[in-house]
Amino acid sequence: THFTKKFKTSNARPSSLNGGTGKFQGDSFLVPGATVATLLMLGALHARRMYQDKKTEELRDKGVEFEFQPDVKASFLRLLPLRSISRCWGYLTSMEIPVWLRPHVYRAWGRAFHSNLEEAALSLDKYASLKDFFVRTLKEGSRPIDADPQCLVSPVDGTVLRFGELNGAGAMIEQVKGFSYSVFSLLGASPSLPTTTDDNVQEEHSGSITTTEKSKKSWWRVSLASPKVWDPTLSRPQRGLFYCVVYLKPGDYHRVHSPADWNILVRRHFSGRLYPLNERATRTIRNLYIENERVVLEGLWQEGFMALAAIGATNIGSIELFIEPELQTNKPRKLLHSEPPEERVYECEGVGRMLKKGDELAAFNMG
Amino acid sequence: STVVLVFQAPISKEFNGGDSSQEFKFCVKPGDRIRYGEALGRWHSS
């Protein structure tokens, strides 16, 4: 109605800019027209993405597993200055929004990305920028921490993509069916990464024992299984190496918490690329998780080794560590990049960084 | 953004009559939504 009225007014009162000829009326209509067209295009793209997400979820529910399939769009992404785009996005989203507009912008964000705004710790008009809103804290009690001492809790809100057990030093994590990456490449060369299970270690130590001797030992164990000769090490649980991959959607709460009582000994920062990390990207980009910028925290918990890799993406490129606020990620960089990871050993400064289960650890920031 | 967690956890015992009560088991499945503080996996002493 506004545009129609404006158009009619323009017709009734030809602009004096063109000597009253009325030629300017078309131009004055073009600007709001272009804005409307852009908004419509963005709306259409968003609707298309939501439709595709829904279809993907339906297929996943039916048990269809997607296979790795590189395509032209993925190759094209390599040519884009994703780091600059990410930093520019960060700059735009850090701009202060007028107080009256804040609730509208954040509610629109919440509707688009299915965020639960009721959980936000502050009222919506208190978040000065979209960036501040994105890393909002939650109301106390929103996330009860599972108190079972024999459980490991999720460090983030998100969608579980994959999990499983790893075997040996060359252990591979499946990115998507048909493509895997090595856990060593993800975490970096780590001397504390267990390369074998306890079971394998025992087998390696007894490598020279013949099969006959092994069977004799088994017999002795069976025949002498009394409290007097019982060896506690035999019934002690052995340990394996596991992994779990959790994806955070744009509407999710974006802070990272400690999954257990954890003593963090080392931090590594890999300054890599900033590809998107959505479902499509995991299917089409090789080595997505080991090419992207990430922060790896490594340490010990009650059952042994534990490492957490927080991987950045184009829109959420920087990772803020609350245990090391001076760490800067998503920095501008040279075109050629083959830098080794930057490492900091917390252990040298004492006993490492002790965290309790559920303690706040890091946050993913926009840009 | 994505988080990958790599950790050691108990696996099944061999010398306890096949009892795997101390084995770490994930209590989620791929595609599940999870919130921080919720259990990813558990193990229990017999």
Side-chain angles (χ1 to χ4, degrees):
Chain A
T1 313
H2 170 77
F3 296 131
T4 318
K5 274 182 189 169
K6 197 170 180 183
F7 189 63
K8 279 180 182 168
T9 317
S10 302
N11 273 338
R13 290 187 290 106
S15 169
S16 59
L17 287 171
N18 291 296
T21 59
K23 281 179 186 171
F24 190 68
Q25 66 191 28
D27 294 343
S28 66
F29 185 71
L30 268 179
V31 177
T35 312
V36 171
T38 309
L39 289 173
L40 284 174
M41 187 190 73
L42 289 173
L45 285 173
H46 182 66
R48 181 167 160 256
R49 197 176 58 84
M50 283 174 69
Y51 173 73
Q52 283 176 340
D53 284 354
K54 200 181 169 192
K55 273 191 86 175
T56 308
E57 270 182 35
E58 281 173 4
L59 286 171
R60 191 177 282 133
D61 289 345
K62 284 178 189 167
V64 176
E65 201 168 351
F66 298 101
E67 288 188 23
F68 186 75
Q69 209 167 24
D71 65 1
V72 181
K73 277 186 189 172
S75 313
F76 176 68
L77 274 179
R78 289 186 184 273
L79 305 173
L80 290 178
L82 293 175
R83 182 168 296 270
S84 305
I85 293 170
S86 175
R87 291 176 58 80
C88 182
W89 171 243
Y91 173 75
L92 288 174
T93 54
S94 62
M95 282 183 173
E96 196 170 324
I97 299 172
V99 177
W100 64 269
L101 193 57
R102 289 173 192 173
H104 303 291
V105 173
Y106 304 147
R107 277 196 200 107
W109 177 273
R111 268 196 297 274
F113 297 108
H114 314 289
S115 307
N116 182 0
L117 303 182
E118 300 297 313
E119 292 178 334
L122 306 174
S123 65
L124 296 181
D125 57 355
K126 295 284 189 297
Y127 299 103
S129 65
L130 187 59
K131 201 172 184 172
D132 289 348
F133 168 74
F134 187 73
V135 285
R136 64 194 176 277
T137 51
L138 300 181
K139 279 177 188 161
E140 220 174 301
S142 302
R143 299 281 185 278
I145 308 294
D146 195 312
D148 183 353
Q150 291 186 317
C151 91
L152 188 70
V153 300
S154 173
V156 288
D157 280 17
T159 307
V160 177
L161 295 186
R162 285 179 185 272
F163 58 79
E165 195 176 346
L166 297 164
N167 295 310
M172 305 291 279
I173 297 177
E174 199 175 49
Q175 180 177 310
V176 72
K177 192 179 173 188
F179 187 81
S180 301
Y181 55 95
S182 111
V183 69
F184 251 122
S185 307
L186 176 77
L187 304 179
S190 165
S192 49
L193 181 68
T195 52
T196 50
T197 61
D198 293 355
D199 190 28
N200 292 343
V201 171
Q202 281 182 1
E203 280 178 12
E204 276 173 19
H205 284 304
S206 59
S208 57
I209 301 171
T210 62
T211 317
T212 328
E213 280 170 328
K214 267 187 181 173
S215 58
K216 274 183 191 169
K217 270 177 158 300
S218 310
W219 183 84
W220 275 100
R221 261 182 216 130
V222 174
S223 59
L224 298 175
S226 71
K228 279 180 186 174
V229 293
W230 176 74
D231 181 354
T233 58
L234 295 177
S235 61
R236 197 183 62 192
Q238 293 152 6
R239 288 171 298 175
L241 191 63
F242 296 84
Y243 75 93
C244 183
V245 185
V246 185
Y247 170 64
L248 290 79
K249 288 181 179 171
D252 285 330
Y253 167 73
H254 264 74
R255 290 183 179 233
V256 185
H257 295 250
S258 179
D261 291 352
W262 185 19
N263 185 16
I264 304 173
L265 304 173
V266 182
R267 182 269 297 155
R268 273 182 222 107
H269 172 217
F270 297 75
S271 180
R273 294 174 182 269
L274 281 172
Y275 291 123
L277 286 176
N278 52 40
E279 190 275 327
R280 182 192 163 79
T282 56
R283 272 190 289 125
T284 55
I285 303 174
R286 260 171 225 286
N287 290 321
L288 185 60
Y289 299 129
I290 58 178
E291 282 215 31
N292 266 22
E293 178 148 356
R294 63 198 180 278
V295 172
V296 171
L297 297 169
E298 198 178 285
L300 294 169
W301 73 306
Q302 68 180 85
E303 297 301 327
F305 176 86
M306 179 183 278
L308 184 147
I311 307 164
T314 319
N315 53 349
I316 301 140
S318 55
I319 299 142
E320 184 183 353
L321 275 188
F322 299 128
I323 55 166
E324 191 189 333
E326 61 275 22
L327 175 70
Q328 286 195 333
T329 59
N330 196 3
K331 289 189 283 190
R333 55 187 299 191
K334 293 163 198 161
L335 281 174
L336 293 169
H337 47 81
S338 54
E339 302 157 21
E342 188 248 324
E343 188 175 275
R344 179 163 169 185
V345 182
Y346 297 134
E347 203 180 9
C348 294
E349 301 155 18
V351 288
R353 304 283 160 96
M354 303 285 287
L355 289 172
K356 289 272 169 209
K357 191 197 261 184
D359 280 356
E360 209 170 75
L361 175 60
F364 287 103
N365 278 316
M366 276 186 159
Chain B
S1 35
T2 298
V3 162
V4 183
L5 195 63
V6 179
F7 55 95
Q8 275 189 302
I11 53 173
S12 58
K13 289 183 292 182
E14 283 190 9
F15 309 115
N16 197 16
D19 178 13
S20 61
S21 58
Q22 288 194 334
E23 187 176 7
F24 178 84
K25 280 179 182 158
F26 284 97
C27 41
V28 287
K29 53 183 194 301
D32 277 0
R33 295 273 307 140
I34 193 162
R35 306 203 296 179
Y36 98 76
E38 289 176 356
L40 266 181
R42 296 176 194 279
W43 71 103
H44 288 289
S45 302
S46 49

